[in-house]
Amino acid sequence: MSGAGLGLSGPARSIPAMGGFTIRPGQDEDAADFIRLVGDAWAEYPNCFLDVDGEVPELRALATHFAGTGGALWAAEAEGRVVGMVAARPLGSDRAWEICKMYVEKSQRGTGLAHALLGGAEAHARARGAQRIVLWTDTRFEAAHRFYEKRGYVRSGSIRILDDISKSLEFRYAKPAIGLVVEALDAAAAASAERSLAEMLVACVADGAATGHLPPLPPEAARAFWRRVSGEAALGNRLLLVAWQEGQVAGTVQLNLAMPQDQAHRAVVEQLLVHPQFRRQGIGRALMQRVEQAARGIGRSLLTLDIRAGAAAEALCRGQGWVEAGRIPGFSRDAGGTLTEQLLLYRPL
């Protein structure tokens, strides 16, 4: 079990104290505490066994181990006790960095320590040119999955099988590290993005976006919506694109591919969303450009969409060559109950 489970230049630098804890560079002398953290976290799950000398001897001198890989290690202390750890290391020529040995003592979960540890490790990697950040986490560590997904990570690639005494299977998670990046998600990634996309949808609805939902949108309803979307993506009926801005999920758009037989050349652009915190940063434009590129790539020659007249997306679409086909008055109601007009647009590719 490689262990990114949940349970800043040169060498690692200390991170200022916050929330009752201090984060400092990890040392080989912390070995006993690191072994305790890992062992306690694994013991929370069935059939997870820690054999230090047989399988993870690097825990005996972890700072030296990560220094040898060009990486860094941090330890978190609270009241003089080591209560958390994380490491990061470069992976090679693809400019990716891996988050490793991410563990937080059970008593410190929910205090913000895990976010501080991971955020510091990510910043360290970005400062050294990381364009992508990856990690591996045991398939049994469901709390860890929720935490990483909240931080913008999505499932990526195949499940890894480890030949260890715990019979471990591991998910690979990844996300872009820097800049504005738009990616199409496969079925596994789409399912793992449900949490962060649901949070964004709730924020967009609260901000007045026309999404087919009225505020306040319950989080469970938002999750159910994205669960349906990821299911359609798994069936190949829908393409889901997500935008990251500096490693945070910032926007999304969908391409509905389930057209009638006589319209197989067409697709429908749906649910263009940009998180309110990331407006006016070119994210909507990047999403629309990428969805058009994706449509061309799969042989679609005509795109259609409908949006509320006067919405911010109208000016964006017109600026990118979309053509008005008509308007439907009284199509939907806004949060105040007022009937609104819907604008129908198309774009030949």
Side-chain angles (χ1 to χ4, degrees):
M1 191 180 302
S2 63
L6 189 61
L8 260 147
S9 51
R13 290 182 174 176
S14 295
I15 300 172
M18 57 182 296
F21 51 80
T22 301
I23 300 175
R24 60 164 174 80
Q27 304 170 357
D28 289 347
E29 290 74 16
D30 295 316
D33 288 311
F34 291 156
I35 291 170
R36 170 180 53 81
L37 283 172
V38 176
D40 288 351
W42 289 13
E44 295 179 37
Y45 298 89
N47 302 313
C48 290
F49 309 104
L50 177 61
D51 178 3
V52 176
D53 294 320
E55 295 185 341
V56 281
E58 66 270 18
L59 285 173
R60 301 286 187 194
L62 204 55
T64 297
H65 171 77
F66 281 105
T69 68
L73 171 71
W74 296 268
E77 289 186 342
E79 299 180 352
R81 173 183 173 86
V82 174
V83 294
M85 61 188 292
V86 70
R89 65 180 180 186
L91 286 182
S93 58
D94 58 356
R95 300 185 69 181
W97 276 62
E98 181 181 9
I99 301 297
C100 311
K101 300 294 186 290
M102 173 76 195
Y103 292 96
V104 171
E105 189 175 90
K106 192 172 185 178
S107 65
Q108 294 293 317
R109 297 174 195 168
T111 65
L113 175 56
H115 288 284
L117 281 165
L118 185 56
E122 290 175 350
H124 180 88
R126 285 195 296 268
R128 281 147 190 80
Q131 293 188 348
R132 194 166 191 81
I133 300 178
V134 305
L135 60 87
W136 292 90
T137 181
D138 193 284
T139 56
R140 291 166 285 197
F141 292 175
E142 294 183 0
H145 307 161
R146 293 192 294 270
F147 172 68
Y148 295 128
E149 289 164 9
K150 187 173 184 178
R151 296 281 308 189
Y153 290 86
V154 296
R155 287 268 308 276
S156 175
S158 302
I159 294 175
R160 181 166 71 178
I161 302 173
L162 301 186
D163 185 21
D164 61 2
I165 60 173
S166 300
K167 307 299 182 185
S168 301
L169 302 176
E170 292 186 331
F171 292 139
R172 183 181 187 268
Y173 277 83
K175 69 175 181 178
I178 59 173
L180 172 56
V181 179
V182 178
E183 296 183 353
L185 305 190
D186 63 15
S192 66
E194 289 172 6
R195 190 175 311 277
S196 55
L197 292 175
E199 292 175 356
M200 180 169 60
L201 179 59
V202 169
C204 288
V205 171
D207 195 53
T211 67
H213 308 277
L214 291 174
L217 178 62
E220 58 271 20
R223 287 292 302 276
F225 171 81
W226 289 109
R227 197 172 298 116
R228 291 192 295 271
V229 170
S230 62
E232 292 181 11
L235 293 173
N237 294 330
R238 187 172 297 269
L239 187 65
L240 175 63
L241 283 76
V242 171
W244 283 263
Q245 179 74 290
E246 301 300 331
Q248 299 183 64
V249 172
T252 183
V253 70
Q254 300 171 36
L255 193 62
N256 185 351
L257 305 174
M259 297 296 104
Q261 188 176 16
D262 62 348
Q263 299 171 40
H265 63 291
R266 185 171 69 87
V268 182
V269 176
E270 298 178 348
Q271 295 290 326
L272 173 64
L273 301 173
V274 176
H275 196 290
Q277 295 180 353
F278 294 94
R279 300 276 169 81
R280 301 186 183 279
Q281 297 183 35
I283 295 169
R285 182 174 295 103
L287 284 164
M288 291 299 287
Q289 291 173 346
R290 186 69 178 84
V291 80
E292 290 181 16
Q293 179 185 0
R296 289 190 186 95
I298 57 175
R300 302 298 169 105
S301 58
L302 177 67
L303 296 180
T304 62
L305 63 80
D306 64 271
I307 56 174
R308 180 180 294 172
E314 179 180 345
L316 169 63
C317 292
R318 291 187 185 277
Q320 293 195 208
W322 287 74
V323 182
E324 180 177 338
R327 294 170 181 257
I328 304 176
F331 186 85
S332 62
R333 294 185 185 274
D334 62 18
T338 302
L339 288 170
T340 63
E341 189 175 50
Q342 200 76 352
L343 180 63
L344 309 179
L345 299 171
Y346 68 94
R347 175 153 167 74
L349 299 179

